[in-house]
Amino acid sequence: MTYDELIERLDPNVYRSLRQSVELGKWPDGRPLTREQREISLQAIIHYEDLHGVPVEERTGYIDRGSKAGTACDPTVGMMGGQKAEGETPKVDSDQFFEVKS
């Protein structure tokens, strides 16, 4: 059985258990996940969600940007490229920042 076949046949209850274990950082019996177990489990979860057509909004790692999508508050805006002309300095409104003192 290949990895793809294994993930394709994975029981939904096992998927939910893996997902919860990764979220909590521990197995259902309370033992902590090792770094390697967390990485392998997360890869399996992502692959399962892709193969089984889980809606994007319900997938592991999804971030709902809501009304902030495409604005300066959206960190992906700077990654999109083409948002500003070559050599142009981004406009920063100082009123959007505040200092936190402890």
Side-chain angles (χ1 to χ4, degrees):
M1 179 181 290
T2 67
Y3 181 76
D4 287 338
E5 291 172 337
L6 175 69
I7 298 300
E8 190 174 327
R9 296 178 185 175
L10 191 65
D11 183 83
N13 292 327
V14 174
Y15 156 74
R16 284 190 289 275
S17 179
L18 273 177
R19 186 171 171 160
Q20 183 180 32
S21 295
V22 169
E23 289 171 357
L24 300 177
K26 61 183 178 180
W27 295 113
D29 65 2
R31 290 179 295 131
L33 269 73
T34 65
R35 183 181 186 137
E36 184 180 22
Q37 288 171 332
R38 179 173 250 161
E39 288 176 14
I40 292 168
S41 297
L42 188 54
Q43 289 173 3
I45 291 165
I46 292 169
H47 196 63
Y48 177 93
E49 291 172 344
D50 187 47
L51 278 177
H52 289 87
V54 174
V56 175
E57 299 82 18
E58 296 175 19
R59 292 187 183 189
T60 300
Y62 173 76
I63 298 173
D64 181 9
R65 300 204 190 280
S67 63
K68 301 294 184 188
T71 68
C73 294
D74 184 354
T76 61
V77 169
M79 295 181 227
M80 297 167 104
Q83 295 295 322
K84 59 181 176 151
E86 187 90 15
E88 181 181 322
T89 305
K91 296 176 185 171
V92 177
D93 179 12
S94 62
D95 291 335
Q96 68 181 333
F97 301 103
F98 59 93
E99 183 177 349
V100 178
K101 296 181 181 180
S102 52

